[in-house]
Amino acid sequence: MSRSTRASGRRSAPKGHRSRHKAHRARSASKAIGLTLVSALIPGSGFVMGGRTKLGAFVMTLVAGLLVIGAYIALTNRNSIVELAVDPSRLLIATCAVVLLGFCWICIVVSSHKLLRPVSVSATGRLAGSLVVGLICFAIAVPTTVAAQTVMAQRDLVGNVFISENNSKSATRPKVNKQDPWANTPRLNILLLGADDGVGRTGTRTDTVMVASIDTKTGDTKLISLSRNWMRMPFPVDSPLHKYYPTGFWDPSLGNVEQSEFYLDAMYRNIPAAHPNALGPSDNMGADVLKVSAGEAMGLKIDYYMQVNLAGFEQIIDALGGITVNINYKVPIGGDYRGPGSADDTLPSRYLQPGPNQHLNGHDGLWFARGRYGLSDPSRQERQRCTIHAIVNSANPTALVTKYKEIASAGKQLLRTDIPQEILPAFIELGIKVKTAKVSNVDLDKTKNFPTGKNPDYQAMREIVRKAIEPQTQPVASTPSAGTTKKPTTGKSSTKPTPPPGGTQDLSDACAYHPTTP
């Protein structure tokens, strides 16, 4: 074979290759656009229709494999997803993977259209094709960007709020088996703090102090509210703080009078200032002090704390789209009561009016929880419990998906805790149980045990708590007859259901609509 013949054969090969691709091209611009849409919905199909069968089959097989693996993990190994959601390093990898998949998808769409469009096409057809491909690429890029931003928001939240055990200090945090944190913990006790460090405050006071005692098997939760004006808060005998306050947190030299600087809500600020590092190294000594003292007062071992900055509390409610509560009496917004006979009171700017199923934004939700002017402290505690109940009910999948970036941003500014990153997967699993379990309030019997805050009967309250959380071996009520119907919790009732002193009450009943005078 002559050199010219061989050269001619080599030059003719590309022409044959192009002709095979040409045979698979669409006959019109509109058909090419339609096939491009199909290739966007089924990645790889455009290559098959354009004559690149092997490449198309590979891409389609790869996509199908990824979908099958994802479905398998979601259905059979939910723990892996939970661990991914709370591991900053894995979240960073997930972000890169989302961006890469979105980029590859766009490349497949553009390449498929180039293979499918006619060789000869008018300027109008070329413009229409370009516009459609651009819109498809935009439709892919937007959710990819949102997904990447959401994953990064989660990583930012986890990294800023839940610090790794090796990178944080706590004087009271328990040592647990990270593989099975609740193996030796039938009940998990968490101290919930509302820190009012807003404008006008010279320091932080914990106006809200609650203990959530959670059954780690069922998720059933008991909420115990501690009054902000309790004095003589105790410390265990083996605590270093017991030597400073052997009869509780108060000053005996001042006599048996109200001592506002020795109230429960002053401990967070005053004890660390007076006795720094008394409990040992800590990132939040005030919270550790309250964990030790509240645990002794209630007869519980407090495992962790979660502190909420009330000044930013409304952000989380707004991020959730608001909360729905029943308002049983007028609740003040603002106002400052200076004491009996004082002429310096600041009147509330307005009141939240009574009514069932009131949807509140962040600002009003905050004041529903903290409004106090002219109202009793127990009524405020009850509204705080109802606010927590409403937030749990508002955290539905739709709100979490559509508002997650806002929720994560608010949470980063709102929350402080000693829960380490390493056990977050177990906490999330437990939180899912709590969402669907029974949440009830433990009545500490104010009339008998703390008619004032000067000398509460902590021993009596410890006994109430013990009876409330210990396993029930006998039924506490008779089984309703077949004809009995459960009373709706959101309908109007003439009387407020009240538990017996020292008893428990389901928050769905306690927070129902039953207009009363607080």
Side-chain angles (χ1 to χ4, degrees):
M1 184 182 293
S2 65
R3 182 179 302 174
S4 61
T5 303
R6 291 196 300 269
S8 176
R10 286 196 298 268
R11 286 193 298 269
S12 65
K15 183 176 180 180
H17 185 70
R18 288 194 300 269
S19 64
R20 288 197 299 272
H21 290 169
K22 180 178 179 180
H24 291 85
R25 290 181 181 270
R27 295 181 179 275
S28 65
S30 59
K31 187 175 181 180
I33 290 173
L35 295 177
T36 302
L37 288 171
V38 173
S39 73
L41 297 174
I42 309 175
S45 62
F47 292 145
V48 174
M49 292 182 290
R52 303 292 298 274
T53 307
K54 290 183 180 180
L55 178 60
F58 172 76
V59 172
M60 293 174 69
T61 302
L62 180 62
V63 171
L66 291 174
L67 292 175
V68 170
I69 292 172
Y72 175 78
I73 293 175
L75 294 174
T76 64
N77 197 3
R78 188 174 61 178
N79 288 340
S80 297
I81 299 176
V82 172
E83 291 173 5
L84 168 65
V86 294
D87 186 328
S89 59
R90 294 185 185 181
L91 287 170
L92 181 59
I93 294 173
T95 302
C96 296
V98 167
V99 173
L100 179 61
L101 287 173
F103 176 75
C104 291
W105 195 356
I106 289 173
C107 290
I108 290 171
V109 170
V110 173
S111 299
S112 297
H113 183 69
K114 287 184 176 180
L115 275 176
L116 294 167
R117 69 186 181 186
V119 175
S120 299
V121 63
S122 65
T124 302
R126 187 178 296 273
L127 177 61
S130 299
L131 287 174
V132 170
V133 171
L135 288 173
I136 294 174
C137 293
F138 180 76
I140 295 172
V142 169
T144 299
T145 303
V146 171
Q149 289 176 341
T150 301
V151 175
M152 288 303 292
Q154 169 68 5
R155 182 175 185 268
D156 196 29
L157 172 65
V158 172
N160 281 276
V161 176
F162 302 95
I163 311 301
S164 172
E165 190 173 43
N166 295 330
N167 296 324
S168 60
K169 298 186 291 291
S170 171
T172 57
R173 184 166 55 199
K175 294 289 185 180
V176 297
N177 177 4
K178 297 178 178 61
Q179 300 301 317
D180 188 4
W182 320 139
N184 299 312
T185 308
R187 297 199 73 90
L188 182 72
N189 300 310
I190 302 176
L191 186 68
L192 306 176
L193 303 175
D196 192 353
D197 53 354
V199 177
R201 290 277 186 170
T202 57
T204 299
R205 284 181 177 264
T206 49
D207 282 357
T208 301
V209 180
M210 282 189 279
V211 175
S213 182
I214 307 169
D215 187 314
T216 55
K217 298 295 184 183
T218 65
D220 286 350
T221 302
K222 308 291 186 183
L223 287 181
I224 309 162
S225 294
L226 285 67
S227 289
R228 57 186 291 275
N229 66 334
W230 282 354
M231 288 169 46
R232 309 176 196 242
M233 283 290 291
F235 292 98
V237 175
D238 60 353
S239 170
L241 290 171
H242 185 268
K243 67 178 181 181
Y244 299 111
Y245 308 103
T247 58
F249 183 58
W250 73 305
D251 186 351
S253 66
L254 299 178
N256 188 27
V257 297
E258 294 284 345
Q259 301 175 15
S260 61
E261 291 303 310
F262 289 88
Y263 283 168
L264 168 61
D265 71 353
M267 297 177 74
Y268 183 96
R269 177 188 63 186
N270 290 348
I271 291 182
H275 311 289
N277 299 318
L279 295 177
S282 174
D283 292 330
N284 190 346
M285 181 60 69
D288 280 328
V289 167
L290 284 169
K291 284 174 66 177
V292 172
S293 187
E296 179 68 9
M298 297 294 101
L300 300 171
K301 176 68 171 67
I302 306 296
D303 299 289
Y304 303 99
Y305 79 89
M306 291 196 72
Q307 180 175 324
V308 178
N309 172 13
L310 292 182
F313 185 70
E314 62 184 272
Q315 297 177 32
I316 199 75
I317 296 179
D318 282 333
L320 286 168
I323 58 174
T324 300
V325 298
N326 295 301
I327 303 179
N328 296 303
Y329 47 84
K330 292 196 303 182
V331 178
I333 294 179
D336 187 10
Y337 179 65
R338 301 297 177 87
S342 173
D344 297 329
D345 286 4
T346 301
L347 297 179
S349 60
R350 62 184 175 91
Y351 285 85
L352 300 175
Q353 298 300 319
N357 298 321
Q358 300 292 301
H359 191 74
L360 305 180
N361 60 20
H363 176 268
D364 289 355
L366 171 62
W367 281 104
F368 175 76
R370 70 180 298 199
R372 188 167 58 207
Y373 185 90
L375 300 177
S376 65
D377 214 40
S379 71
R380 185 171 182 252
Q381 293 171 1
E382 181 179 73
R383 282 181 279 113
Q384 289 170 350
R385 293 190 294 268
C386 291
T387 302
I388 292 175
H389 192 52
I391 288 175
V392 171
N393 291 335
S394 297
N396 57 72
T398 301
L400 292 176
V401 170
T402 58
K403 296 284 188 177
Y404 191 77
K405 284 191 294 182
E406 291 87 345
I407 294 171
S409 177
K412 186 176 67 173
Q413 303 175 47
L414 184 71
L415 298 176
R416 192 176 181 185
T417 183
D418 60 351
I419 299 172
Q421 283 181 10
E422 290 82 356
I423 63 171
L424 278 181
F427 260 95
I428 293 176
E429 292 287 342
L430 184 59
I432 293 172
K433 293 180 182 178
V434 173
K435 171 77 175 175
T436 56
K438 180 180 179 181
V439 181
S440 55
N441 165 54
V442 177
D443 178 17
L444 296 177
D445 196 351
K446 174 180 173 60
T447 302
K448 180 180 177 181
N449 295 326
F450 53 102
T452 70
K454 289 189 294 184
N455 193 15
D457 189 343
Y458 294 113
Q459 180 58 43
M461 288 189 277
R462 281 194 285 268
E463 183 63 18
I464 289 172
V465 172
R466 184 188 67 79
K467 290 180 178 178
I469 67 175
E470 68 183 3
Q472 297 293 326
T473 57
Q474 296 179 349
V476 296
S478 59
T479 303
S481 63
T484 302
T485 57
K486 185 178 180 180
K487 184 177 180 180
T489 58
T490 55
K492 182 175 179 179
S493 173
S494 58
T495 58
K496 176 181 178 180
T498 56
T504 62
Q505 184 180 24
D506 192 314
L507 279 187
S508 295
D509 293 328
C511 301
Y513 183 53
H514 35 67
T516 58
T517 300

